[in-house]
């Protein structure tokens, strides 16, 4: 683990994929990392971090529920103190063509992917403001800028994260708190591994770099945005998409 100033970090949606890679990346940077998920899957991320000699804590919360978010923060604060680094990665999908999309499909995705980030930011910021330091990173998506057929709910939520990011960046900048967004493109996860080979070939052909990304490539960008040297970057949208979103 790196010899740097250790911060208290919270990563939501940390049970697998991009979130788990981000949690590991932050731990490698020397931070104490709370791994949050809506199930007990965050314990696997905790085990990964502790296996490398880092410090981690698994907490369980549905980020769409403000009371659950408050309880998770309380657990972290009791163990380590205030959250100084917050990464909002929790997200779900409920795909469907807009003419057939149900209210539940729309509402559940917006509640988790957008409102969940708001709940966590609202809970974290009073103590960040008091300490006059903080790093917030929201995980958006290339589909938030380019749109994706069959994902009106997901694209709307991910686009909303950019507006939220920039509003928060302006509001909290005087207190030394930065807020940025990353926009991953198609990334290799357990979900994509189950997709047909034909689907993967089509996706690879649409990406200028000719391949899917991996979670660690997203995590490295997030890790930098959470670092001390990134203190002059705020309100930015950083694509990690192999060039797929160029022009958006």
């Amino acid at each position: 683990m790196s010899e740097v100033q250790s911060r208290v970090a919270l990563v939501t949606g940390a049970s697998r994929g991009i979130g788990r890679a981000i949690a590991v990346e932050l731990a490698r940077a020397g931070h104490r990392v709370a791994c949050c998920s809506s199930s007990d899957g965050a314990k696997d991320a905790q085990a990964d971090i502790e296996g490398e000699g880092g410090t981690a804590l698994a907490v369980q919360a549905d980020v769409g529920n403000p009371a659950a978010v408050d309880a998770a923060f309380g657990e972290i604060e009791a163990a380590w103190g205030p959250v100084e680094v917050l990464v909002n990665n929790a997200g779900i999908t409920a795909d469907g063509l807009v003419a057939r999309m149900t209210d539940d499909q729309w509402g559940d995705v917006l509640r988790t992917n957008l409102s969940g980030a708001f709940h966590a930011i609202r809970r974290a910021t009073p103590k960040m403001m008091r300490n006059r330091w903080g790093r917030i990173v929201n995980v958006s998506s290339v589909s938030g800028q380019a749109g994706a057929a069959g994902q009106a709910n997901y694209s709307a939520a991910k686009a909303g994260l950019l507006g939220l990011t920039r509003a928060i960046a302006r509001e909290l900048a005087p207190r030394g708190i930065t807020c940025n967004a990353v926009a991953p493109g198609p990334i290799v996860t357990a979900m994509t591994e189950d997709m047909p080979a034909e689907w993967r070939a089509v996706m690879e052909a649409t990406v200028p770099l000719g391949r899917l990304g991996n979670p660690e490539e997203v995590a490295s960008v997030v890790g930098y945005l959470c670092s001390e040297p990134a203190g002059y970057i705020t309100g930015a949208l950083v694509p990690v998409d192999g060039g797929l979103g160029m022009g958006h």
Side-chain angles (χ1 to χ4, degrees):
M1 297 296 168
S2 304
E3 294 297 328
V4 299
Q5 182 173 359
S6 177
R7 302 283 186 179
V8 176
L10 168 61
V11 181
T12 69
S15 63
R16 58 184 179 177
I18 292 172
R20 189 160 163 179
I22 291 170
V24 171
E25 177 73 19
L26 293 177
R28 287 174 178 164
H31 304 307
R32 291 167 288 172
V33 183
C35 308
C36 178
S37 73
S38 59
S39 66
D40 62 0
K43 292 179 180 178
D44 292 332
Q46 178 183 0
D48 288 346
I49 291 168
E50 292 177 342
E52 293 190 9
T55 302
L57 174 69
V59 295
Q60 187 171 342
D62 172 4
V63 296
N65 181 340
V69 170
D70 182 60
F73 269 82
E75 187 176 347
I76 297 162
E77 290 164 351
W80 295 335
V83 170
E84 300 164 284
V85 174
L86 171 63
V87 180
N88 290 304
N89 173 73
I92 62 171
T93 58
D95 296 350
L97 296 176
V98 67
R100 299 176 182 174
M101 185 171 287
T102 67
D103 289 343
D104 285 344
Q105 284 176 294
W106 175 265
D108 289 348
V109 170
L110 269 290
R111 183 179 66 88
T112 297
N113 298 16
L114 182 56
S115 296
F118 165 72
H119 296 152
I121 291 169
R122 181 176 61 183
R123 182 59 173 78
T125 50
K127 293 181 180 179
M128 287 184 179
M129 291 171 67
R130 193 172 302 128
N131 293 333
R132 303 191 71 85
W133 195 96
R135 297 283 186 268
I136 302 169
V137 178
N138 297 318
V139 180
S140 182
S141 168
V142 65
S143 68
Q145 285 68 58
Q151 290 192 317
N153 48 6
Y154 185 82
S155 295
K158 293 300 186 178
L161 277 177
L162 179 56
L164 176 65
T165 294
R166 289 180 168 159
I168 297 301
R170 290 187 183 277
E171 186 172 328
L172 300 182
R175 298 300 184 99
I177 301 165
T178 67
C179 186
N180 294 289
V182 296
I187 303 296
V188 175
T189 63
M191 181 175 66
T192 60
E193 290 291 350
D194 292 336
M195 295 292 185
E198 296 80 6
W199 174 90
R200 178 161 180 158
V202 169
M203 289 304 302
E204 289 174 343
T206 65
V207 176
L209 284 179
R211 65 175 179 86
L212 304 189
N214 63 66
E216 290 72 25
E217 289 174 309
V218 180
S220 66
V221 175
V222 173
Y224 176 71
L225 292 173
C226 292
S227 71
E228 303 283 345
Y232 202 55
I233 303 171
T234 196
L237 174 67
V238 183
V240 190
D241 61 8
L244 181 61
M246 281 191 287
H248 295 289

